[in-house]
Structures are given as structure tokens and as C-alpha cells.
Amino acid sequence: MTTDTDFGASLESRTAAYCDRLGDCAALLPELFDRYAADGDYRDTVERIESIESECDQRRRSITAAITNADAKEIGLLNTRINHNQSALIDFVNELDVVANHTERIAQELEMMQPDPDAAAFERLAAMADPIVEMTDVLSDVTERFIHGLARSDATETLTDGIEAIRELESRCDELRNDAITTAFETGVDQPLVYRELAVLLDELANTMEDLTDRIIIITSEESGIITEVDPDVDA
């Protein structure tokens, strides 16, 4: 008979495998911009991003199917954290997959739009890739610990540092987005709207990751064992 421990372990394992590949996908963004700027030989990187995105989609479906098809007995009658949050958890996993989807879209749009790699605005765009990779790494860690907290009825997790780090990195991406757009329009580069569109796409990727932390906060708001925000009434 399947127990709540079995289900929790399976869910954690699937999530960890998914997050590993999600990190691999985002980690290719700096390489994408570097290879595009260096010699234009970046098609292989685009194809690797597309391949990993497809794998992420398959893994996402495996996770959501496991949650959807599990009944209370399989999840564990005492594991109310999963029982009470099944629908919200499925929505979270689907939204998490948008990170891989959006990474793929950025690679494809770069290939189609063909911005000038020597333009100062392109350098500003490329600077957005590193904080996005860092955000993805932090989000993966937060997500795995979030799932652990839900999947184990006796687990405790404190996610505040990771969530705050993602917020700070998203603010950094906002600054870099604005810098890239301003540079595109102030330096007289050809087709400044191309750089604006790419900057907005990169920023939307960062926004998606911050939005995912908001979902985590909402889902865990009634779970006393999972801490996502510092109590403002508690002295530092």
C-alpha cells in the first residue's frame, strides 16, 4: 500500500529532477548572449535550450499527473498540507514551467530579431542574463524546500531568505531593463524597439519568478510549519 511517505518522497524526487533541468535551461542564457556576440555561432545553444524546455514540459506533466491522480489514501490521510492544496499546487507547477517556456522564447526571439551585438544596448541586455540565472538557482532551492514542507506532514521550512533574494534580484533586473531600453533610444541604434522587446522579455522572466514566490506565500499562509515572511512584530 502507498503511504504518505512514499507519495512525499516521489513528489520531492520528481520536483528535484525538474528543478535541476530548469536550472540547466536558464544557465544557457549567458552562453547564448556570449556566443551571439562573439561570432554568431549560437544555434547549438538555442537548440539545447529548446531540448531542455521540452524535457521540462514532460517532467512538469509527470508531476501534475501524480498530484491530480492521487487520492487522499495515496497522499496520506494525515497529510492535510497536500490534501488542502492540491489545486493550488498544480497551478504552481504549471506556472513554474513558464520559466522554461519563457527562456526558450527569449532564445528564439534573439535568433529572429538579430540585434547588433556591438551595440551598447545589447551589452546591457546581456547583463540581465546572470541575475536571471541566479534567480533560477534560488527559486529551485526554494521550490524544493517548499515541496518538502508540503509533502511531509511533520516538516518545517523557513523560506524567507530565498524569497527576499529573489525579490532583490528582480529589482536588479528592473534596473537593467530600464538601462537597456534607455541606452537603445539614446544612442541612436537601429531599430531600438528590438532591444526594448528583448529587455521586456527578460524582465518578464524575472517577474514570473517573483510571482511564483507570491504563490508560495499564499499556499503556505495557513501552514504553520512553513515560514515565508518575517513577522514585522518580531524584533530583529
Side-chain angles (χ1 to χ4, degrees), residues 128 131-132 134-136 162-178 200 202-211 213-214:
M128 298 181 72
I132 285 174
E134 187 175 352
M135 283 185 78
T136 309
I163 290 173
E164 184 58 32
I166 289 171
R167 288 171 176 168
E168 291 175 358
L169 287 163
E170 194 280 330
S171 294
R172 175 60 178 153
C173 284
D174 284 344
E175 295 171 358
L176 292 169
R177 174 206 61 201
N178 293 340
V200 169
L202 285 159
D203 188 55
E204 285 177 354
L205 178 53
N207 290 342
T208 296
M209 288 190 270
E210 184 180 37
D211 290 346
T213 65
D214 291 337

Side-chain angles (χ1 to χ4, degrees), residues 31-236:
E31 177 185 309
L32 174 71
F33 282 96
D34 288 347
R35 294 183 68 172
Y36 180 91
D39 54 16
D41 185 17
Y42 61 94
R43 181 58 200 165
D44 176 66
T45 306
V46 174
E47 291 176 352
R48 286 157 61 200
I49 289 173
E50 291 172 336
S51 176
I52 296 173
E53 189 280 333
S54 295
E55 182 182 341
C56 284
D57 193 47
Q58 293 174 351
R59 290 183 180 277
R60 185 266 307 169
R61 289 198 296 269
S62 172
I63 294 170
T64 56
I67 299 170
T68 300
N69 296 330
D71 57 23
K73 185 177 294 186
E74 289 177 305
I75 293 172
L77 294 175
L78 298 179
N79 196 340
T80 56
R81 290 178 178 178
I82 292 290
N83 285 327
H84 290 172
N85 294 293
Q86 271 183 285
S87 178
L89 187 54
I90 290 168
D91 289 343
F92 172 83
V93 173
N94 286 331
E95 183 68 13
L96 183 63
D97 201 49
V98 173
V99 175
N101 297 342
H102 214 73
T103 301
E104 179 186 48
R105 183 182 172 193
I106 289 166
Q108 293 171 340
E109 292 289 339
L110 178 67
E111 184 176 28
M112 287 189 291
M113 293 182 177
Q114 295 286 301
D116 180 1
D118 295 324
F122 183 85
E123 182 181 352
R124 305 299 195 277
L125 285 175
M128 298 181 72
D130 284 337
I132 285 174
V133 173
E134 187 175 352
M135 283 185 78
T136 309
D137 288 343
V138 177
L139 178 64
S140 292
D141 177 67
V142 169
T143 296
E144 290 184 46
R145 293 166 59 200
F146 161 62
I147 295 299
H148 174 77
L150 287 180
R152 309 282 179 162
S153 56
D154 59 346
T156 59
E157 290 289 349
T158 300
L159 309 178
T160 50
D161 288 348
I163 290 173
E164 184 58 32
I166 289 171
R167 288 171 176 168
E168 291 175 358
L169 287 163
E170 194 280 330
S171 294
R172 175 60 178 153
C173 284
D174 284 344
E175 295 171 358
L176 292 169
R177 174 206 61 201
N178 293 340
D179 190 21
I181 294 172
T182 298
T183 301
F185 283 94
E186 289 186 350
T187 58
V189 68
D190 289 341
Q191 298 183 309
L193 290 177
V194 167
Y195 301 87
R196 180 186 183 280
E197 177 66 16
L198 288 169
V200 169
L201 286 174
L202 285 159
D203 188 55
E204 285 177 354
L205 178 53
N207 290 342
T208 296
M209 288 190 270
E210 184 180 37
D211 290 346
L212 282 161
T213 65
D214 291 337
R215 284 179 179 262
I216 290 174
I217 291 170
I218 292 171
I219 293 171
T220 61
S221 60
E222 296 183 3
E223 306 297 345
S224 60
I226 306 175
I227 301 171
T228 56
E229 294 186 294
V230 176
D231 188 341
D233 295 327
V234 176
D235 294 333

